[in-house]
Amino acid sequence: QAKQLNFQERALLTANPVAKKLLNIMTQKSTNLIFSADVDSLDTLLDLASIVGPHICAIKTHINTFAVENFKLDLIYKLRNVADEQNFLILEDSKFADIGNTVYKQYVDGYHICEWADFVTAHAVSGPGVIEALVKGSGNRDRACLLIAQMSSDGNLVSEAYTNGVLKIAEDHSGFVAGFICRQKLSSKPNFIHITPGVKLAAGMGTLGQQYLTPDEVIKNRQSDVVIVGSGIYQAEDPLAATIAYKEAAFAAYNDLL
Ligand code: 6AU
């Protein structure tokens, strides 16, 4: 069996600056955990980010989930400072899915996502124009996107043929596509990072159709690279202790594969 490349080795084979940064951060901080900060306000998000920051490689946001009353975009720039100080990236989970022109406006105007998020999620359902729009909106900043190749929710409509189509678009745009949101390893190309949400220490069904796998199952058996954990952390009695537990489980599983 061929030796698995570690994150550090893969960073050297990666042209995209964000993918390279993420692989290097995971090596330096010994963490392949992304915290999905699906909390009620940007204030709470900032507080949590400072607490869990040392143990994560990135934080994932949904900027359009915060109530518009007393919404202040400047708080996201505070998060940018925390991210830079504590050496983690910001992943805005926009799931862009429209035609290029609309996605460009959503990315550049609206919440000015292009200015503060290192990378964003996108569906490839509308074709490669979505990526071309993000490339244009990025200008000369170091930016990337993750394509949603598979989903964790029960009854989702993603077929094997659709996933293969997403892989093909990613290969044709590998300068900007850093990897995939997926349920398992899909590509043997070392530059693509596989990132998996729907993760809890106890596997099973969540609310509203979410399906959970354990960090061990995701990293060791399904050979994904990174886990995304949301409610497993922010709903825990002690979010810091939960973060450390997820970090250790996911990184031990990664080390077992090497
Ligand atoms: O750990 P949870 O279930 O509390 O949160 C999972 C997070 C949520 C979802 O919007 C997101 O991961 N997600 C995604 C992403 C990252 O794109 C895709 C998917 O298939 N399932 C999923 O849960 O913020």
Side-chain angles (χ1 to χ4, degrees):
Q1 197 190 332
K3 185 190 170 292
Q4 293 269 353
L5 294 175
N6 65 32
F7 294 147
Q8 192 168 23
E9 290 162 332
R10 286 169 59 187
L12 300 173
L13 302 171
T14 302
N16 178 273
V18 178
K20 206 184 250 302
K21 272 186 211 170
L22 188 66
L23 290 162
N24 284 330
I25 290 172
M26 293 198 288
T27 305
Q28 290 155 10
K29 293 173 72 175
S30 297
T31 176
N32 50 346
L33 169 66
I34 294 178
F35 172 45
S36 180
D38 300 319
V39 292
D40 292 339
S41 73
L42 269 169
D43 287 299
T44 311
L45 189 152
L46 261 181
D47 289 345
L48 270 175
S50 306
I51 294 169
V52 307
H55 305 285
I56 59 175
C57 59
I59 198 159
K60 188 174 81 61
T61 57
H62 282 138
I63 195 68
N64 63 358
T65 60
F66 302 113
V68 69
E69 307 84 26
N70 63 50
F71 175 84
K72 291 196 235 76
L73 193 61
D74 60 324
L75 290 177
I76 203 81
Y77 291 96
K78 289 197 179 157
L79 177 69
R80 183 70 261 171
N81 289 339
V82 176
D84 292 340
E85 275 163 30
Q86 300 205 11
N87 196 25
F88 61 80
L89 300 182
I90 302 178
L91 169 60
E92 161 55 28
D93 191 5
S94 304
K95 295 195 179 68
F96 294 117
D98 216 314
I99 59 163
N101 219 19
T102 304
V103 167
Y104 178 84
K105 290 184 194 172
Q106 290 170 326
Y107 184 50
V108 174
D109 303 332
Y111 295 99
H112 305 308
I113 294 166
C114 66
E115 289 181 18
W116 51 264
D118 297 284
F119 52 159
V120 295
T121 54
H123 285 290
V125 65
S126 59
V130 63
I131 301 171
E132 287 151 20
L134 295 172
V135 169
K136 183 177 160 204
S138 296
N140 57 9
R141 306 172 187 93
D142 286 352
R143 295 292 180 253
C145 77
L146 300 173
L147 292 183
I148 296 165
Q150 294 175 319
M151 294 204 72
S152 64
S153 41
D154 185 35
N156 73 71
L157 299 178
V158 177
S159 65
E160 208 177 312
Y162 179 83
T163 299
N164 288 335
V166 175
L167 287 186
K168 171 78 172 59
I169 289 180
E171 281 166 18
D172 292 344
H173 296 82
S174 62
F176 194 77
V177 177
F180 307 103
I181 297 289
C182 54
R183 290 307 260 172
Q184 73 230 15
K185 180 174 178 174
L186 299 170
S187 169
S188 56
K189 302 221 161 44
N191 53 302
F192 288 132
I193 305 174
H194 294 78
I195 301 186
T196 301
V199 173
K200 273 219 166 125
L201 285 169
M205 204 69 185
T207 49
L208 300 177
Q210 177 70 303
Q211 304 175 109
Y212 289 110
L213 302 169
T214 64
D216 217 47
E217 168 67 20
V218 166
I219 305 292
K220 219 155 57 185
N221 300 342
R222 299 177 175 228
Q223 305 206 4
S224 189
D225 299 308
V226 182
V227 295
I228 295 179
V229 180
S231 46
I233 290 173
Y234 66 78
Q235 282 178 354
E237 222 160 278
D238 183 345
L240 175 60
T243 304
I244 293 170
Y246 279 103
K247 168 182 94 161
E248 287 179 349
F251 208 74
Y254 155 73
N255 270 323
D256 278 352
L257 275 181
L258 296 177

Short mmCIF file of all heavy atoms in Angstrom, two decimals, residues 206-254:
data_model
loop_
_atom_site.label_atom_id
_atom_site.label_comp_id
_atom_site.label_asym_id
_atom_site.label_seq_id
_atom_site.Cartn_x
_atom_site.Cartn_y
_atom_site.Cartn_z
N GLY A 206 -29.55 13.52 13.55
CA GLY A 206 -29.73 14.78 14.27
C GLY A 206 -31.11 15.34 14.00
O GLY A 206 -32.00 14.61 13.56
N THR A 207 -31.28 16.65 14.22
CA THR A 207 -32.59 17.25 13.96
C THR A 207 -32.71 17.65 12.50
O THR A 207 -31.70 17.89 11.83
CB THR A 207 -32.79 18.50 14.84
OG1 THR A 207 -31.63 19.33 14.70
CG2 THR A 207 -32.99 18.15 16.28
N LEU A 208 -33.93 17.71 11.99
CA LEU A 208 -34.24 18.18 10.62
C LEU A 208 -33.41 17.47 9.56
O LEU A 208 -32.96 18.08 8.59
CB LEU A 208 -34.05 19.70 10.53
CG LEU A 208 -34.90 20.56 11.46
CD1 LEU A 208 -34.55 22.04 11.31
CD2 LEU A 208 -36.39 20.36 11.18
N GLY A 209 -33.16 16.16 9.74
CA GLY A 209 -32.55 15.36 8.68
C GLY A 209 -31.03 15.28 8.67
O GLY A 209 -30.45 14.62 7.82
N GLN A 210 -30.38 15.96 9.62
CA GLN A 210 -28.91 15.86 9.67
C GLN A 210 -28.48 14.44 10.08
O GLN A 210 -29.10 13.83 10.95
CB GLN A 210 -28.34 16.89 10.67
CG GLN A 210 -26.85 16.86 10.86
CD GLN A 210 -26.05 17.35 9.65
OE1 GLN A 210 -26.19 16.82 8.56
NE2 GLN A 210 -25.22 18.36 9.86
N GLN A 211 -27.43 13.90 9.44
CA GLN A 211 -26.95 12.56 9.75
C GLN A 211 -25.50 12.65 10.23
O GLN A 211 -24.65 13.19 9.50
CB GLN A 211 -27.02 11.67 8.51
CG GLN A 211 -28.43 11.61 7.92
CD GLN A 211 -28.50 10.82 6.62
OE1 GLN A 211 -29.04 9.73 6.59
NE2 GLN A 211 -27.93 11.38 5.57
N TYR A 212 -25.22 12.13 11.43
CA TYR A 212 -23.88 12.27 12.02
C TYR A 212 -23.04 11.02 11.89
O TYR A 212 -23.52 9.90 12.06
CB TYR A 212 -24.01 12.64 13.50
CG TYR A 212 -24.50 14.05 13.72
CD1 TYR A 212 -25.77 14.31 14.22
CD2 TYR A 212 -23.68 15.14 13.39
CE1 TYR A 212 -26.22 15.61 14.39
CE2 TYR A 212 -24.13 16.45 13.56
CZ TYR A 212 -25.39 16.67 14.06
OH TYR A 212 -25.83 17.96 14.23
N LEU A 213 -21.75 11.25 11.61
CA LEU A 213 -20.72 10.21 11.63
C LEU A 213 -19.72 10.61 12.71
O LEU A 213 -19.62 11.78 13.08
CB LEU A 213 -20.01 10.14 10.28
CG LEU A 213 -20.87 9.86 9.05
CD1 LEU A 213 -20.06 10.09 7.77
CD2 LEU A 213 -21.41 8.44 9.10
N THR A 214 -18.92 9.64 13.20
CA THR A 214 -17.90 9.98 14.20
C THR A 214 -16.63 10.47 13.50
O THR A 214 -16.39 10.14 12.33
CB THR A 214 -17.54 8.75 15.06
OG1 THR A 214 -16.93 7.77 14.18
CG2 THR A 214 -18.76 8.14 15.73
N PRO A 215 -15.78 11.22 14.21
CA PRO A 215 -14.50 11.66 13.62
C PRO A 215 -13.66 10.47 13.13
O PRO A 215 -13.06 10.55 12.06
CB PRO A 215 -13.79 12.37 14.79
CG PRO A 215 -14.88 12.79 15.72
CD PRO A 215 -15.97 11.77 15.57
N ASP A 216 -13.66 9.38 13.87
CA ASP A 216 -12.90 8.19 13.49
C ASP A 216 -13.39 7.61 12.16
O ASP A 216 -12.60 7.29 11.27
CB ASP A 216 -13.06 7.14 14.60
CG ASP A 216 -11.77 6.39 14.81
OD1 ASP A 216 -10.72 7.05 14.90
OD2 ASP A 216 -11.83 5.15 14.89
N GLU A 217 -14.69 7.49 12.03
CA GLU A 217 -15.29 6.96 10.80
C GLU A 217 -14.94 7.86 9.60
O GLU A 217 -14.55 7.39 8.54
CB GLU A 217 -16.82 6.87 10.98
CG GLU A 217 -17.64 6.61 9.73
CD GLU A 217 -17.43 5.23 9.10
OE1 GLU A 217 -16.95 4.32 9.80
OE2 GLU A 217 -17.74 5.08 7.90
N VAL A 218 -15.06 9.18 9.81
CA VAL A 218 -14.84 10.13 8.72
C VAL A 218 -13.38 10.15 8.27
O VAL A 218 -13.08 10.11 7.07
CB VAL A 218 -15.29 11.55 9.17
CG1 VAL A 218 -14.78 12.62 8.23
CG2 VAL A 218 -16.81 11.60 9.29
N ILE A 219 -12.46 10.19 9.23
CA ILE A 219 -11.04 10.37 8.87
C ILE A 219 -10.37 9.02 8.56
O ILE A 219 -9.65 8.90 7.58
CB ILE A 219 -10.27 11.08 10.01
CG1 ILE A 219 -10.94 12.43 10.36
CG2 ILE A 219 -8.79 11.28 9.63
CD1 ILE A 219 -10.86 13.49 9.30
N LYS A 220 -10.64 8.01 9.40
CA LYS A 220 -9.92 6.75 9.23
C LYS A 220 -10.58 5.87 8.16
O LYS A 220 -9.93 5.44 7.22
CB LYS A 220 -9.86 6.00 10.56
CG LYS A 220 -8.52 5.33 10.72
CD LYS A 220 -8.01 5.05 12.08
CE LYS A 220 -8.79 4.22 13.00
NZ LYS A 220 -8.19 4.16 14.32
N ASN A 221 -11.86 5.62 8.26
CA ASN A 221 -12.51 4.71 7.32
C ASN A 221 -12.83 5.37 5.99
O ASN A 221 -12.67 4.77 4.94
CB ASN A 221 -13.78 4.11 7.93
CG ASN A 221 -13.47 3.33 9.19
OD1 ASN A 221 -12.32 2.96 9.44
ND2 ASN A 221 -14.48 3.09 10.01
N ARG A 222 -13.28 6.63 6.04
CA ARG A 222 -13.69 7.28 4.79
C ARG A 222 -12.60 8.18 4.22
O ARG A 222 -12.78 8.80 3.18
CB ARG A 222 -14.96 8.08 5.04
CG ARG A 222 -16.11 7.17 5.48
CD ARG A 222 -17.35 7.97 5.79
NE ARG A 222 -18.47 7.11 6.09
CZ ARG A 222 -19.69 7.25 5.55
NH1 ARG A 222 -19.94 8.22 4.72
NH2 ARG A 222 -20.65 6.42 5.88
N GLN A 223 -11.48 8.30 4.96
CA GLN A 223 -10.27 8.98 4.48
C GLN A 223 -10.49 10.43 4.05
O GLN A 223 -9.84 10.93 3.12
CB GLN A 223 -9.64 8.18 3.34
CG GLN A 223 -9.37 6.77 3.79
CD GLN A 223 -8.24 6.12 3.03
OE1 GLN A 223 -7.58 6.73 2.20
NE2 GLN A 223 -7.99 4.87 3.33
N SER A 224 -11.43 11.11 4.72
CA SER A 224 -11.53 12.55 4.55
C SER A 224 -10.39 13.19 5.34
O SER A 224 -9.69 12.50 6.09
CB SER A 224 -12.90 13.02 5.06
OG SER A 224 -13.11 14.37 4.72
N ASP A 225 -10.16 14.50 5.16
CA ASP A 225 -9.01 15.13 5.83
C ASP A 225 -9.39 15.95 7.05
O ASP A 225 -8.62 16.04 8.00
CB ASP A 225 -8.32 16.09 4.84
CG ASP A 225 -7.79 15.37 3.62
OD1 ASP A 225 -7.07 14.37 3.79
OD2 ASP A 225 -8.09 15.80 2.49
N VAL A 226 -10.55 16.57 6.99
CA VAL A 226 -10.92 17.58 7.99
C VAL A 226 -12.36 17.34 8.42
O VAL A 226 -13.21 17.02 7.58
CB VAL A 226 -10.80 19.00 7.39
CG1 VAL A 226 -11.13 20.07 8.42
CG2 VAL A 226 -9.41 19.24 6.81
N VAL A 227 -12.67 17.51 9.71
CA VAL A 227 -14.06 17.44 10.16
C VAL A 227 -14.57 18.84 10.49
O VAL A 227 -13.81 19.70 10.96
CB VAL A 227 -14.25 16.51 11.39
CG1 VAL A 227 -13.92 15.06 11.03
CG2 VAL A 227 -13.42 16.97 12.59
N ILE A 228 -15.86 19.05 10.24
CA ILE A 228 -16.55 20.28 10.65
C ILE A 228 -17.49 19.89 11.77
O ILE A 228 -18.32 18.99 11.60
CB ILE A 228 -17.37 20.86 9.48
CG1 ILE A 228 -16.46 21.33 8.34
CG2 ILE A 228 -18.25 22.01 9.98
CD1 ILE A 228 -17.23 21.89 7.14
N VAL A 229 -17.37 20.55 12.91
CA VAL A 229 -18.27 20.28 14.04
C VAL A 229 -18.94 21.58 14.47
O VAL A 229 -18.25 22.57 14.73
CB VAL A 229 -17.52 19.64 15.23
CG1 VAL A 229 -18.49 19.38 16.39
CG2 VAL A 229 -16.82 18.36 14.81
N GLY A 230 -20.27 21.57 14.52
CA GLY A 230 -21.03 22.73 14.96
C GLY A 230 -21.64 22.50 16.33
O GLY A 230 -21.02 22.75 17.36
N SER A 231 -22.87 21.96 16.34
CA SER A 231 -23.61 21.81 17.60
C SER A 231 -22.88 20.92 18.61
O SER A 231 -23.06 21.10 19.82
CB SER A 231 -25.02 21.30 17.33
OG SER A 231 -25.00 20.22 16.43
N GLY A 232 -22.06 19.99 18.12
CA GLY A 232 -21.27 19.17 19.05
C GLY A 232 -20.38 20.02 19.95
O GLY A 232 -20.02 19.61 21.06
N ILE A 233 -20.06 21.22 19.49
CA ILE A 233 -19.23 22.14 20.29
C ILE A 233 -20.07 23.24 20.94
O ILE A 233 -20.03 23.42 22.16
CB ILE A 233 -18.11 22.75 19.41
CG1 ILE A 233 -17.08 21.67 19.06
CG2 ILE A 233 -17.45 23.95 20.11
CD1 ILE A 233 -16.02 22.10 18.07
N TYR A 234 -20.86 23.98 20.14
CA TYR A 234 -21.51 25.16 20.74
C TYR A 234 -22.67 24.79 21.66
O TYR A 234 -23.08 25.60 22.49
CB TYR A 234 -21.91 26.22 19.69
CG TYR A 234 -22.99 25.81 18.71
CD1 TYR A 234 -24.33 25.80 19.07
CD2 TYR A 234 -22.66 25.46 17.41
CE1 TYR A 234 -25.31 25.42 18.18
CE2 TYR A 234 -23.64 25.08 16.50
CZ TYR A 234 -24.97 25.06 16.90
OH TYR A 234 -25.93 24.67 16.01
N GLN A 235 -23.19 23.55 21.54
CA GLN A 235 -24.24 23.13 22.48
C GLN A 235 -23.67 22.38 23.68
O GLN A 235 -24.43 22.01 24.58
CB GLN A 235 -25.28 22.25 21.77
CG GLN A 235 -26.25 23.06 20.93
CD GLN A 235 -27.25 22.19 20.17
OE1 GLN A 235 -27.15 20.96 20.17
NE2 GLN A 235 -28.20 22.83 19.51
N ALA A 236 -22.37 22.15 23.68
CA ALA A 236 -21.75 21.41 24.80
C ALA A 236 -21.76 22.29 26.05
O ALA A 236 -21.70 23.51 25.97
CB ALA A 236 -20.34 21.01 24.44
N GLU A 237 -21.81 21.64 27.20
CA GLU A 237 -21.76 22.38 28.46
C GLU A 237 -20.45 23.15 28.57
O GLU A 237 -20.42 24.29 29.03
CB GLU A 237 -21.85 21.38 29.62
CG GLU A 237 -22.75 21.85 30.73
CD GLU A 237 -23.18 20.65 31.56
OE1 GLU A 237 -24.13 19.95 31.16
OE2 GLU A 237 -22.50 20.44 32.58
N ASP A 238 -19.37 22.53 28.10
CA ASP A 238 -18.06 23.16 28.11
C ASP A 238 -17.50 23.13 26.68
O ASP A 238 -16.85 22.16 26.27
CB ASP A 238 -17.14 22.37 29.07
CG ASP A 238 -15.76 23.00 29.19
OD1 ASP A 238 -15.41 23.85 28.34
OD2 ASP A 238 -15.05 22.63 30.14
N PRO A 239 -17.75 24.20 25.89
CA PRO A 239 -17.33 24.21 24.48
C PRO A 239 -15.82 24.01 24.29
O PRO A 239 -15.41 23.38 23.32
CB PRO A 239 -17.77 25.58 23.99
CG PRO A 239 -18.89 25.96 24.89
CD PRO A 239 -18.54 25.40 26.24
N LEU A 240 -15.02 24.54 25.22
CA LEU A 240 -13.57 24.37 25.08
C LEU A 240 -13.18 22.90 25.22
O LEU A 240 -12.43 22.35 24.40
CB LEU A 240 -12.82 25.23 26.10
CG LEU A 240 -11.30 25.04 26.12
CD1 LEU A 240 -10.68 25.38 24.77
CD2 LEU A 240 -10.66 25.88 27.23
N ALA A 241 -13.73 22.24 26.25
CA ALA A 241 -13.42 20.82 26.46
C ALA A 241 -13.90 19.99 25.26
O ALA A 241 -13.20 19.08 24.81
CB ALA A 241 -14.07 20.33 27.75
N ALA A 242 -15.08 20.34 24.73
CA ALA A 242 -15.60 19.60 23.56
C ALA A 242 -14.70 19.82 22.35
O ALA A 242 -14.39 18.87 21.61
CB ALA A 242 -17.03 20.06 23.25
N THR A 243 -14.25 21.06 22.16
CA THR A 243 -13.35 21.35 21.03
C THR A 243 -12.09 20.51 21.12
O THR A 243 -11.64 19.92 20.13
CB THR A 243 -12.98 22.85 21.03
OG1 THR A 243 -14.18 23.61 20.99
CG2 THR A 243 -12.11 23.22 19.84
N ILE A 244 -11.52 20.44 22.30
CA ILE A 244 -10.28 19.67 22.49
C ILE A 244 -10.55 18.18 22.23
O ILE A 244 -9.75 17.50 21.58
CB ILE A 244 -9.69 19.93 23.90
CG1 ILE A 244 -9.22 21.40 23.98
CG2 ILE A 244 -8.55 18.97 24.21
CD1 ILE A 244 -8.82 21.87 25.36
N ALA A 245 -11.71 17.69 22.68
CA ALA A 245 -12.04 16.27 22.47
C ALA A 245 -12.18 15.97 20.97
O ALA A 245 -11.65 14.96 20.47
CB ALA A 245 -13.33 15.91 23.21
N TYR A 246 -12.86 16.86 20.22
CA TYR A 246 -13.01 16.65 18.77
C TYR A 246 -11.66 16.77 18.06
O TYR A 246 -11.34 16.02 17.14
CB TYR A 246 -14.03 17.63 18.17
CG TYR A 246 -15.45 17.17 18.36
CD1 TYR A 246 -16.27 17.73 19.34
CD2 TYR A 246 -15.98 16.15 17.57
CE1 TYR A 246 -17.58 17.29 19.52
CE2 TYR A 246 -17.29 15.70 17.75
CZ TYR A 246 -18.08 16.27 18.73
OH TYR A 246 -19.37 15.83 18.91
N LYS A 247 -10.88 17.76 18.48
CA LYS A 247 -9.55 17.95 17.87
C LYS A 247 -8.71 16.69 18.05
O LYS A 247 -8.11 16.19 17.09
CB LYS A 247 -8.85 19.15 18.52
CG LYS A 247 -7.37 19.27 18.17
CD LYS A 247 -6.69 20.43 18.85
CE LYS A 247 -6.05 20.03 20.15
NZ LYS A 247 -5.03 20.99 20.62
N GLU A 248 -8.67 16.19 19.27
CA GLU A 248 -7.82 15.04 19.56
C GLU A 248 -8.30 13.79 18.81
O GLU A 248 -7.50 13.03 18.26
CB GLU A 248 -7.72 14.80 21.07
CG GLU A 248 -6.84 15.89 21.69
CD GLU A 248 -6.68 15.80 23.19
OE1 GLU A 248 -7.40 15.00 23.84
OE2 GLU A 248 -5.83 16.55 23.73
N ALA A 249 -9.62 13.59 18.76
CA ALA A 249 -10.15 12.41 18.06
C ALA A 249 -9.83 12.48 16.57
O ALA A 249 -9.38 11.49 15.97
CB ALA A 249 -11.67 12.32 18.27
N ALA A 250 -10.04 13.65 15.97
CA ALA A 250 -9.82 13.76 14.51
C ALA A 250 -8.34 13.69 14.16
O ALA A 250 -7.96 13.08 13.16
CB ALA A 250 -10.44 15.07 14.00
N PHE A 251 -7.49 14.29 14.99
CA PHE A 251 -6.06 14.29 14.66
C PHE A 251 -5.42 12.93 14.92
O PHE A 251 -4.53 12.51 14.17
CB PHE A 251 -5.31 15.41 15.39
CG PHE A 251 -4.09 15.88 14.64
CD1 PHE A 251 -4.22 16.66 13.50
CD2 PHE A 251 -2.81 15.52 15.05
CE1 PHE A 251 -3.10 17.08 12.77
CE2 PHE A 251 -1.69 15.93 14.33
CZ PHE A 251 -1.83 16.72 13.19
N ALA A 252 -5.91 12.23 15.93
CA ALA A 252 -5.40 10.87 16.19
C ALA A 252 -5.78 9.96 15.02
O ALA A 252 -4.97 9.13 14.57
CB ALA A 252 -5.98 10.33 17.49
N ALA A 253 -6.98 10.13 14.48
CA ALA A 253 -7.42 9.31 13.34
C ALA A 253 -6.55 9.59 12.12
O ALA A 253 -6.17 8.67 11.39
CB ALA A 253 -8.89 9.59 13.04
N TYR A 254 -6.21 10.86 11.91
CA TYR A 254 -5.32 11.24 10.80
C TYR A 254 -3.94 10.61 10.99
O TYR A 254 -3.37 10.02 10.06
CB TYR A 254 -5.24 12.77 10.72
CG TYR A 254 -3.99 13.34 10.09
CD1 TYR A 254 -3.78 13.27 8.71
CD2 TYR A 254 -3.03 13.99 10.88
CE1 TYR A 254 -2.63 13.82 8.13
CE2 TYR A 254 -1.88 14.54 10.31
CZ TYR A 254 -1.69 14.45 8.94
OH TYR A 254 -0.56 15.00 8.38
#
